[in-house]
Amino acid sequence: MSTPRTLDTAPSSVPAAEIRIRDMADADCEAVAGIRVRGWRTAYAGLMPASFLAALSIEEDAARRRERLAQAGSSVVNVVAEHAGDIVGWACHGPSRDDDLPPGEAELYAIYVHDGRLSTGVGRSLLRSCLERCAESGYERIRLWVLKGNTRARAFYERAGFTPDGAEEPYEAGGELVPEVRYVRAVSP
């Protein structure tokens, strides 16, 4: 089996029927790390310190992905989106980590799409897969944290039925505090 790769360039659209969502494997960690690091640098430019974003390492992130994947356990789900054999996105969800919530809620920990595949349906396909799996696991609600200033991501989640739940907290990035807001939606519409 060949190692999945990420794209250096990407077409402007991906037919939804051609996107394959599958469980993430160890061999996907490098591709996922590349998508994550480029995603942070693109989405968070101007929202986080430039030096913090420049210092991000694909190799270090891939090592963290491998470690977290190995330790994830059955309650944490990592999925990748493939198109024509290329990894074009990644999402991860599991039980909520917030102490102020009732037990039994899910959390979308992360969703990242190759920067050349934004607004092509990859993110929607990943989110749909996570919601289906949450429903299968018996979750009724799912929450997520997003940078307050990340208007593109916030608009994506709002189009998908998420609404802010009123919780806010800072995220520390390179010695600076960046505000995040929490969103919620029912797992099943």
Side-chain angles (χ1 to χ4, degrees), residues 26-184:
D26 188 71
D28 302 321
C29 289
E30 189 77 23
V32 167
I35 289 169
R36 280 179 41 84
V37 168
R38 284 190 300 274
W40 276 62
R41 289 178 179 157
T42 301
Y44 305 148
L47 301 175
M48 290 185 173
S51 59
F52 175 79
L53 295 173
L56 295 173
S57 161
I58 292 173
E59 293 77 20
E60 289 173 13
D61 193 77
R64 274 192 301 279
R65 293 301 112 221
R66 282 187 187 87
E67 183 180 322
R68 289 183 178 167
L69 187 62
Q71 297 173 349
S74 61
S75 64
V76 175
V77 177
N78 285 272
V79 294
V80 293
E82 274 187 328
H83 178 254
D86 295 318
I87 302 297
V88 295
W90 165 74
C92 181
H93 73 270
S96 175
R97 300 170 289 182
D98 294 336
D99 294 334
D100 67 325
L101 299 175
E105 291 201 5
E107 181 178 343
L108 180 63
Y109 303 136
I111 185 167
Y112 288 90
V113 174
H114 184 282
D115 57 350
R117 301 292 179 118
L118 296 172
S119 298
T120 65
V122 174
R124 288 186 303 276
S125 295
L126 284 164
L127 182 56
R128 185 173 31 257
S129 175
C130 289
L131 292 171
E132 289 169 358
R133 288 181 147 194
C134 284
E136 291 167 6
S137 296
Y139 292 114
E140 292 183 17
R141 280 185 298 286
I142 185 167
R143 299 191 192 241
L144 61 89
W145 288 94
V146 62
L147 292 184
K148 192 171 191 173
N150 190 346
T151 55
R152 182 183 188 119
R154 291 181 71 174
F156 169 80
Y157 293 124
E158 289 168 8
R159 283 190 306 273
F162 284 88
T163 57
D165 72 0
E168 294 190 20
E169 68 178 38
Y171 176 84
E172 192 276 321
E176 290 187 27
L177 297 179
V178 182
E180 288 187 306
V181 294
R182 189 170 63 190
Y183 276 70
V184 63

